Amino acid sequence: KLVVLSGSMDERPEEYGIAHFTEHMCFHGSREMDETAMLGLFRRLGAEYGSDVNAFTTFDHTAYALEFRENTPDLLADGLRWYRGIAESVLFNQDDIDRERRVIFAEKRSRDDLSGRQMQASFPVLFRGLKFADHATIGLDETLRRQQRAHFLEFYRRCYRPDLMVFVAAGDFDVAALEPMVRAAF
């Protein structure tokens, strides 16, 4: 996993929803690994979106996860390259932003059911006195519509910094062999 210690509470009012939107944009490629190469890596891993390749954004962090069915040095190196791209060189192509905005709005609509409304209504009670009690991680329609490439780059520069990132590896691999790979990648 790559954990970015920045979430929706790090958004400015005009940015509401950009932390979660940025999470989505990380799946559109980086200078390290374009979208085609990224999808090729996922296929080689035998990975499926949502189960083997996943990410989520909370109030205080965003986490990206890959599940490796095999831990060959080549696959591990490519996985590390994908994480490095997330960490420092997401492309934020405006056409991708515009396409992904529709995905975000579809996700937002899917959450607008009884369960989602109950959860959002409970926040002011559960988190009384806390800043995020009235804050929805997915954002507001008006701020989501306005987000352009420059807004993403500003948020990304401010919040996707090495001092706000933690790389976590767990599983059946040789730590002594993985450690130099991680150091070389980051």
Side-chain angles (χ1 to χ4, degrees):
K1 289 185 180 182
L2 177 67
V3 180
V4 180
L5 301 175
S6 180
S8 65
M9 292 312 301
D10 296 297
E11 299 165 343
R12 296 175 178 148
E14 67 275 9
E15 296 175 325
Y16 284 166
I18 203 165
H20 173 251
F21 205 150
T22 298
E23 168 209 316
H24 279 239
M25 293 308 300
C26 289
F27 288 91
H28 286 281
S30 67
R31 284 191 315 270
E32 288 290 324
M33 185 176 284
D34 67 22
E35 193 168 358
T36 302
M38 177 189 69
L39 293 172
L41 166 64
F42 298 163
R43 276 192 300 279
R44 287 192 325 277
L45 287 172
E48 295 181 31
Y49 276 120
S51 56
D52 304 312
V53 179
N54 206 345
F56 62 89
T57 300
T58 69
F59 294 118
D60 64 352
H61 73 279
T62 303
Y64 301 87
L66 282 178
E67 296 289 331
F68 289 79
R69 292 184 181 147
E70 295 180 42
N71 63 1
T72 67
D74 287 345
L75 284 176
L76 291 172
D78 282 347
L80 290 169
R81 200 165 57 104
W82 180 66
Y83 284 127
R84 181 185 171 113
I86 290 170
E88 71 175 18
S89 66
V90 174
L91 297 175
F92 297 109
N93 175 295
Q94 188 62 50
D95 289 339
D96 292 335
I97 291 167
D98 294 337
R99 270 194 320 279
E100 198 62 34
R101 188 183 330 270
R102 291 190 297 272
V103 173
I104 299 287
F105 277 114
E107 183 178 346
K108 199 170 191 295
R109 282 190 303 276
S110 76
R111 292 182 186 184
D112 189 22
D113 59 7
L114 180 59
S115 175
R117 287 188 295 253
Q118 286 174 330
M119 184 178 70
Q120 195 63 39
S122 72
F123 283 1
V125 175
L126 294 172
F127 304 118
R128 185 183 349 240
L130 299 176
K131 185 178 171 186
F132 58 85
D134 295 316
H135 189 91
T137 301
I138 200 160
L140 303 173
D141 289 0
E142 51 274 13
T143 55
L144 292 168
R145 281 188 195 99
R146 287 194 299 257
Q147 301 306 327
Q148 300 297 315
R149 186 173 194 273
H151 301 114
F152 285 95
L153 292 173
E154 163 59 29
F155 178 81
Y156 188 72
R157 287 183 190 119
R158 192 173 76 241
C159 297
Y160 278 60
R161 305 185 324 245
D163 62 313
L164 295 176
M165 294 185 185
V166 178
F167 180 75
V168 179
D172 183 23
F173 54 82
D174 180 0
V175 174
L178 184 61
E179 185 178 354
M181 293 174 72
V182 171
R183 288 187 186 281
F186 293 99

